[in-house]
């Protein structure tokens, strides 16, 4: 049987160094579809909602890859006959959609988001059917759409006929909409008007739009327009159950390249007595290894053993590794989990090379520390104000009364919540003072209200932000990031 050291090295090689997706097209072996995500990928699903790190940008990119659509064909056959295009995203493509600065510039010239989004649709469809429309600047295209409603309507109709004749459908995907504005009211208007355009596209049976939104964007007043219920009815919220995360882990391990992949597929077979199935160069997992149950638990036990210490009192690695990566709403993200396991393998390789299992239980704890560090950095990208507010809390112990947190904030921000600086979207409830900030942090899953009224913070954030808790995973030391 393959020894622990070889498996450990294979895990380090198999798992990506970075777990973020910035709009790059993924490798087919990295595509894992939790059953709950299938509905979100259907053509008739127009709204996909999710927190940071659950896969919004991943799917926005992956759907554009023909191999992914073919791979999904068994469950979602219409995707195999669909052409997918970006309508907005993390990767710039100024020919087909304006970047944030260009978008802002257009709006400053008294043009509406509604016409900007129709211009995006017009550029894409005109390129597909070979129609010449003004494209010298985005302002020219926006003006054409605004002044020519009948030709724009005809453009959509002709595009629908084109796809009908081709035996295909068209899907335009919109992601990373927080990059269009740093003001909430402007953002609300931009998203609301995009949804209006998506709703109008539904009149054409083969033209589809899919919008990926952050949770905080969706929970604002963006659907207060006629017939918005038709879009809301298609809404799907992305989430990952613990068994989904373990399934993703083995998908990545079994699809590692070279000798590492051979090694890890060998581990998989040694536990389940059956190898994963190869299809077109991609290794696919057996169904029982994707679900909570004996097979999946035994697979992780082969990597990390039965206990998080010398006996059962310290916990079981299979469940511990996920539960300590959950936010206050009991949600764990694939980015955090894969980062934790990758770090655990690396640390085990360096500190516990003679351990009988590939992953030492102490290294899994250090993996949680690393995942927390990454999660904090990711939060700072989307919510710059969060890191600013957490810094004064470094060193305090949770759970604690909110009055203690308020005292720390008042000391650091004597002018109140309005003192918080941000180059991006500010807290939604900043006008409500510290109580509003508290509600925002609870909404993000960073703060958790306990039955006795005190506030707690899950390890996922507590460790990275440097707060303490008796008996918990040790916090990151100041300056260690």
């Amino acid at each position: 049987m393959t020894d622990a050291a070889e498996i450990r090295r294979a895990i380090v090689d198999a798992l990506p160094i970075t777990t973020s997706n910035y709009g790059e097209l993924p490798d087919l072996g990295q595509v894992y579809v939790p059953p709950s995500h299938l509905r979100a990928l259907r053509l008739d699903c127009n709204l996909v909602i999710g927190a940071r790190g659950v896969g919004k940008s991943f799917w926005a990119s992956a759907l554009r890859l023909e191999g992914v659509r073919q791979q999904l064909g068994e469950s979602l056959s219409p995707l195999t006959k669909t052409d997918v295009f970006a309508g907005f995203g993390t990767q710039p493509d100024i020919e087909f959609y304006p970047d944030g600065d260009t978008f802002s510039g257009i709006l400053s010239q008294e043009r509406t988001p509604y016409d900007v989004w129709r211009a995006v649709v017009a550029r894409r469809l005109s390129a597909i059917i070979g129609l010449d429309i003004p494209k010298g600047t985005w302002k020219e295209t926006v003006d054409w759409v605004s002044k020519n409603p009948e030709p724009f309507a005809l453009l959509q109709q002709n595009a629908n006929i084109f796809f009908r004749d081709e035996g295909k459908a068209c899907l335009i995907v919109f992601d990373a909409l927080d990059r269009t504005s740093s003001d909430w009211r402007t953002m609300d208007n931009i998203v609301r008007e995009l949804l209006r355009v998506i709703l109008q596209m539904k009149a054409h049976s083969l033209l589809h739009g899919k919008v990926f939104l952050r949770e905080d964007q969706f929970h604002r007043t963006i659907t207060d327009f006629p017939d918005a219920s038709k879009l809301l009815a298609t809404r799907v919220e992305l989430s990952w159950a613990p068994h989904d995360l373990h399934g993703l882990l083995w998908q990545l391990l079994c699809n590692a390249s070279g000798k590492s992949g051979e090694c890890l597929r060998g581990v998989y077979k040694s536990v389940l007595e059956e190898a994963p199935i190869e299809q077109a160069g991609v290794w696919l997992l057996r169904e029982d290894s994707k679900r909570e149950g004996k097979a999946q638990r035994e697979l992780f036990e082969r990597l990390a053993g039965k206990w998080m210490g010398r006996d059962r009192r310290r916990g079981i690695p299979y469940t511990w590794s996920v539960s300590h990566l959950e936010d206050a709403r009991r949600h764990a993200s694939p980015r955090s989990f894969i980062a934790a396991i990758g770090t655990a393998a690396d640390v085990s390789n360096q500190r516990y090379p003679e351990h009988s299992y590939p992953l030492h239980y102490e290294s899994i704890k250090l993996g949680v520390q690393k995942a927390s560090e990454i999660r904090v950095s990711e939060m700072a990208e989307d919510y710059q104000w969060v890191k600013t507010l957490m810094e004064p809390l470094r060193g305090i112990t949770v759970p604690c009364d909110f009055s203690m947190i308020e005292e720390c904030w008042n000391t650091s921000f004597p002018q109140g919540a309005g003192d918080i600086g941000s180059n991006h979207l500010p807290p939604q409830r900043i006008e409500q003072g510290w109580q509003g900030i508290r509600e925002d942090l609870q909404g993000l899953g960073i703060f958790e209200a306990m039955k006795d009224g005190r506030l707690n913070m899950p390890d996922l954030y507590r460790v990275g932000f440097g707060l303490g808790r008796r008996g918990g995973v040790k916090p990151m030391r100041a300056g260690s990031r």
Side-chain angles (χ1 to χ4, degrees), residues 56-112:
K56 298 188 303 299
S57 292
F58 177 87
W59 285 124
S61 300
L63 283 172
R64 290 159 41 212
L65 194 62
E66 183 177 0
V68 170
R69 300 197 297 275
Q70 296 300 322
Q71 189 171 313
L72 292 171
E74 291 186 11
S75 303
L76 301 167
S77 57
L79 284 179
T80 62
K81 297 180 179 180
T82 300
D83 291 336
V84 183
F85 309 95
F88 196 86
T90 54
Q91 291 286 333
D93 189 353
I94 196 67
E95 180 181 357
F96 288 108
Y97 53 85
D99 59 16
D101 290 339
T102 304
F103 208 116
S104 178
I106 297 170
L107 297 186
S108 69
Q109 298 176 43
E110 299 184 351
R111 301 312 189 268
T112 67

Side-chain angles (χ1 to χ4, degrees), residues 311-326:
D311 55 48
R312 69 176 68 239
R313 292 176 297 176
R314 300 294 184 181
I316 300 171
Y318 174 78
T319 53
W320 195 100
S321 58
V322 175
S323 64
H324 284 72
L325 293 172
E326 292 177 336

Side-chain angles (χ1 to χ4, degrees), residues 109-130:
Q109 298 176 43
E110 299 184 351
R111 301 312 189 268
T112 67
Y114 178 70
D115 282 336
V116 175
W117 290 125
R118 292 203 302 165
V120 169
V121 173
R123 281 206 181 188
R124 180 61 70 180
L125 296 183
S126 64
I128 292 170
I129 68 174

Side-chain angles (χ1 to χ4, degrees), residues 39 44-47 192 195-196 198-200 202 218 222-236:
R39 183 165 170 256
D44 58 2
C45 170
N46 303 118
L47 262 177
R192 182 185 301 111
L195 296 181
R196 285 183 59 206
I198 298 298
L199 180 60
Q200 290 179 357
K202 290 175 74 69
F218 173 70
I222 60 169
T223 56
D224 53 348
F225 58 88
D227 292 329
S229 59
K230 295 178 181 178
L231 293 182
L232 292 173
T234 74
R235 179 180 84 246
V236 175

Side-chain angles (χ1 to χ4, degrees), residues 18-24 37 48-58 90 175-179 212-219 237-240 245 325-327 329-337 371-384 386 424 443-446 460-461:
T18 176
T19 55
S20 294
N21 180 279
Y22 297 101
E24 302 94 340
H37 288 209
V48 183
I49 316 300
R52 176 71 189 247
V54 298
K56 298 188 303 299
S57 292
F58 177 87
T90 54
D175 180 41
L177 296 172
D178 56 299
R179 301 189 179 202
F212 291 87
L213 286 180
R214 291 180 354 190
E215 293 172 312
D216 54 347
Q217 290 176 303
F218 173 70
H219 291 306
E237 297 192 20
L238 295 180
S239 63
W240 290 74
L245 298 173
L325 293 172
E326 292 177 336
D327 64 15
R329 299 164 301 176
R330 304 296 179 263
H331 295 162
S333 78
R335 288 184 189 172
S336 298
F337 183 65
S372 180
E373 175 188 351
I374 292 172
R375 187 64 173 182
V376 164
S377 297
E378 289 180 340
M379 268 292 172
E381 291 178 16
D382 282 355
Y383 308 93
Q384 296 177 3
V386 169
H424 204 40
L444 291 174
I446 297 175
L460 177 64
Y461 294 113

